[in-house]
Amino acid sequence: MRIFIVAIVTGLLVYACYFFQDKPVKVINVSFDGYTAQIVVDQLPFSESGKMAWWQRSQKQIRNKYAIPSDNTGPFLITVYAFGEGYQEEGDEDRLCFRNITPPRNCIDKNILMMIWRTREGGTRYDFN
């Protein structure tokens, strides 16, 4: 009986990972200030390797659409945030507010999903939360 329960739980976990991995990522908003970029998405793949693969597949399209350079003049840090509960008023909470969205509901909760760093050597480093 114990083996049966473990098999069912394992099967459900594998299915959940597969299910979340295959959902397309929707980019909600992008902001670039010349030094850093903030990307707001509905969700990212479940695994770290899935998140990196999404960025490697999508970065050219995102950079082109939102005029984010990819050479040495580009951002040294790109932070990917979860859209979460959607746009909210600034309030007393620690929120990220966007100038390209009309206030008062132009902020999101700072739920960081991934950070992409450009290293001094020109490489890429990823951090995950």
Side-chain angles (χ1 to χ4, degrees):
M1 182 68 168
R2 201 180 277 180
I3 293 174
F4 179 71
I5 292 173
V6 169
I8 296 238
V9 169
T10 302
L12 289 173
L13 286 173
V14 168
Y15 175 77
C17 290
Y18 178 77
F19 178 76
F20 287 119
Q21 193 74 16
D22 287 341
K23 283 187 164 186
V25 175
K26 180 178 178 188
V27 175
I28 309 293
N29 193 2
V30 176
S31 175
F32 173 58
D33 65 10
Y35 300 102
T36 64
Q38 298 76 36
I39 301 173
V40 181
V41 298
D42 60 345
Q43 48 113 45
L44 284 181
F46 183 72
S47 69
E48 291 179 359
S49 62
K51 292 173 186 175
M52 288 188 299
W54 166 78
W55 176 247
Q56 291 164 356
R57 277 191 322 270
S58 306
Q59 73 168 313
K60 186 175 182 180
Q61 178 184 10
I62 292 170
R63 287 177 184 275
N64 287 339
K65 183 175 182 178
Y66 297 99
I68 300 172
S70 59
D71 58 9
N72 286 338
T73 64
F76 64 88
L77 171 63
I78 298 172
T79 308
V80 181
Y81 292 91
F83 192 49
E85 299 294 320
Y87 290 114
Q88 318 229 350
E89 293 184 15
E90 187 170 8
D92 293 330
E93 294 81 5
D94 186 21
R95 291 189 170 142
L96 173 67
C97 299
F98 294 91
R99 294 180 187 175
N100 63 345
I101 303 292
T102 305
R105 296 180 65 83
N106 64 326
C107 306
I108 61 165
D109 292 324
K110 290 183 180 177
N111 182 4
I112 298 172
L113 301 174
M114 176 171 74
M115 295 188 303
I116 305 145
W117 300 84
R118 178 174 39 97
T119 66
R120 289 182 188 184
E121 297 79 29
T124 303
R125 187 181 95 212
Y126 297 91
D127 290 325
F128 305 97
N129 291 347

